[in-house]
Amino acid sequence: MSVLSKKDTFDPVGSPPEAGQTATLLHLRSDTNELFGHPLRSAFVGSPYASFLLDANGTVMLANRRAQRQFAPGTDAADIDIRGTTFADLTHQTPEEVFARLKAASSSARANFTMSTGRKRQTPRNLDFHVAMLHAPGQSTPIYHLTQDHLTSTVDALITMNGRRLETHEKLTRLEAQYSALHQVMIATEAYAHTASHDLRTPLNTLTGLLQIFEMNFGQDLPDRAVEYLSYMSRAVAQMDTLTGDFLEHARSAAIELVREDLDMTAMVKNALDDLKGEFEAIGATCEIIGPSVNLCAEPTLVRMLVNNLFTNAIKYRHDARPLHLRVTLVPKGDAPAQMIVQDNGMGFEPGASEAIFLPFRRCNTEIEGTGIGLATCREVCRRHEWSITAQSDGHTGAIFTVLMTT
């Protein structure tokens, strides 16, 4: 609603009046004290919404403080007075377009103009204005009162945001349903893999035993070619047994119930070294533990599986030219998550394979016998705990595995 009516007398600050206009409604005066003497003047000048008074030619007769600060093209305080400026100069429309929109506003009471805001002339925006046509006594031409309409733009923005929120909610609901279905499939697959791996061990153990008995009882009477075939069979059964065991362990890492306990990582590392003591001694490997004890809450069986697989991987990919040396660095939780860093001096891997080595059945070095399950199991253990594991290597001097234990 306009701050003016035919019953109000409004003498805003402005340039000296032209002849014959001293008795008009908009008698422009230079006495600023008069400005604040009328409540309507104070409301207009101090309004938080940018407001303009335009004459019939579209010239700015008066602009309140907010309009001066928001739309004045100048950069100095002395250049912010926009009275006498054609309103079209403040917009990105031609004078003809401005007049057309002002005339159209006589019925809708709204108009939209593209304007640059701010003293640094920010990116032009489409701004809505309330438009009221005022008629001064004795004047046949109207005066346009424009007030920036923040409410409409805010409502439009809220409608847009609400639409995006509903769209996001629908997508989230679909994703949750897909996740639930996928989770059920994973549980069924893990249960099947666990059962299949376990059931395969029995015939493999039987076949291994029969091959050993056959070789012991009849091996001396077999021709060399038959002994060679028997050796191939025994090796193939051993590889199948190893693969089944690794697959069973991987299935356990995904299916075992996550019961967290307070753990001492230094003790867990030492226990893993005890498990592999015979293998370390057989190849002359050494290990050093650096850093203070790290205490965390985790599932002990899975954590032991993680450490054992990292150590077994280092043994498998050791370098023939140097004895294996492991360095395990434990970093307690501070500003960053707790860490366990396992560094070896083995063969390493190509730098570009730092993600591929964690994929199941992916073997970056086909010359080394293995199943490609160990590191995949390590990542699965970390996933279950909401940890992360990364690997890096230059392909020559060994590999570094870093476990970030965030919880």
Side-chain angles (χ1 to χ4, degrees):
M1 181 176 178
S2 172
V3 297
L4 296 178
S5 70
K6 293 181 180 180
K7 298 180 180 179
D8 294 320
T9 302
F10 185 31
D11 297 330
V13 174
S15 303
E18 297 180 5
Q21 290 185 331
T22 55
T24 65
L25 176 67
L26 290 173
H27 179 196
L28 304 180
R29 305 179 58 172
S30 59
D31 185 1
T32 55
N33 292 326
E34 292 288 336
L35 179 63
F36 296 97
H38 196 290
L40 292 178
R41 298 184 190 124
S42 299
F44 179 87
V45 174
S47 172
Y49 304 106
S51 298
F52 300 88
L53 288 177
L54 310 181
D55 65 15
N57 297 319
T59 302
V60 178
M61 303 174 66
L62 183 69
N64 68 353
R65 296 191 186 105
R66 180 60 181 266
Q68 296 274 21
R69 289 194 299 266
Q70 190 168 346
F71 299 107
T75 56
D76 298 327
D79 297 332
I80 66 171
D81 193 350
I82 57 178
R83 288 174 298 174
T85 302
T86 301
F87 187 72
D89 293 339
L90 304 178
T91 72
H92 290 259
Q93 280 79 45
T94 64
E96 292 76 16
E97 291 174 331
V98 169
F99 278 119
R101 297 186 186 191
L102 289 175
K103 289 180 180 180
S106 61
S107 59
S108 64
R110 291 183 57 189
N112 180 275
F113 299 98
T114 304
M115 307 178 71
S116 297
T117 61
R119 303 286 287 279
K120 294 183 179 180
R121 318 313 296 158
Q122 298 175 358
T123 302
R125 294 189 300 157
N126 291 324
L127 303 178
D128 291 317
F129 288 86
H130 282 296
V131 182
M133 295 181 64
L134 309 177
H135 295 277
Q139 297 293 315
S140 60
T141 57
I143 296 171
Y144 297 99
H145 178 213
L146 277 65
T147 302
Q148 188 177 354
D149 181 9
H150 291 279
L151 180 60
T152 300
S153 58
T154 301
V155 170
D156 292 341
L158 287 175
I159 292 174
T160 301
M161 289 175 60
N162 189 54
R164 291 177 179 174
R165 183 187 67 81
L166 291 175
E167 183 181 350
T168 302
H169 179 71
E170 292 174 357
K171 289 182 178 179
L172 181 61
T173 301
R174 291 195 298 268
L175 288 174
E176 287 177 346
Q178 292 173 0
Y179 172 79
S180 179
L182 180 61
H183 184 64
Q184 295 300 322
V185 172
M186 287 182 61
I187 292 176
T189 303
E190 290 165 0
Y192 173 79
H194 186 275
T195 302
S197 300
H198 185 271
D199 292 346
L200 280 173
R201 300 301 295 274
T202 299
L204 285 174
N205 290 336
T206 301
L207 185 56
T208 300
L210 289 174
L211 286 173
Q212 291 175 350
I213 294 173
F214 185 85
E215 185 177 6
M216 290 174 56
N217 294 332
F218 307 104
Q220 296 179 351
D221 301 328
L222 294 175
D224 293 341
R225 181 60 62 86
V227 172
E228 184 179 358
Y229 289 161
L230 186 62
S231 175
Y232 289 154
M233 294 169 60
S234 299
R235 189 187 311 170
V237 171
Q239 290 176 344
M240 187 63 185
D241 184 63
T242 300
L243 176 60
T244 305
D246 289 347
F247 196 61
L248 177 61
E249 184 179 61
H250 183 71
R252 289 181 59 216
S253 71
I256 192 172
E257 183 181 359
L258 197 66
V259 180
R260 296 177 184 265
E261 299 179 10
D262 292 331
L263 300 180
D264 182 343
M265 283 304 298
T266 301
M268 295 296 292
V269 171
K270 290 181 177 179
N271 289 338
L273 290 174
D274 289 340
D275 292 342
L276 300 171
K277 183 177 180 180
E279 296 183 49
F280 268 69
E281 291 179 349
I283 62 175
T286 57
C287 179
E288 61 176 324
I289 304 174
I290 302 174
S293 179
V294 172
N295 298 312
L296 51 85
C297 190
E299 211 294 318
T301 302
L302 292 180
V303 173
R304 190 159 184 168
M305 193 181 297
L306 167 67
V307 179
N308 278 8
N309 274 288
L310 288 175
F311 288 177
T312 301
N313 184 77
I315 294 173
K316 185 182 301 181
Y317 291 98
R318 64 187 182 276
H319 201 287
D320 294 336
R322 48 184 178 262
L324 174 63
H325 178 72
L326 281 177
R327 176 182 297 170
V328 181
T329 304
L330 298 173
V331 182
K333 182 178 181 180
D335 295 335
Q339 299 181 44
M340 179 178 68
I341 304 171
V342 179
Q343 181 176 2
D344 64 60
N345 63 341
M347 300 171 60
F349 55 86
E350 292 297 325
S354 59
E355 280 296 319
I357 61 175
F358 291 106
L359 297 176
F361 308 108
R362 181 66 64 88
R363 296 170 55 203
C364 296
N365 192 330
T366 56
E367 297 179 358
I368 305 297
E369 289 188 3
T371 60
I373 294 293
L375 292 180
T377 301
C378 291
R379 172 153 286 184
E380 180 61 22
V381 171
C382 290
R383 184 193 68 80
R384 295 288 306 280
H385 286 87
E386 298 182 356
W387 298 348
S388 66
I389 181 171
T390 57
Q392 62 185 86
S393 174
D394 60 5
H396 304 288
T397 58
I400 302 175
F401 293 88
T402 302
V403 180
L404 295 181
M405 299 171 285
T406 54
T407 58

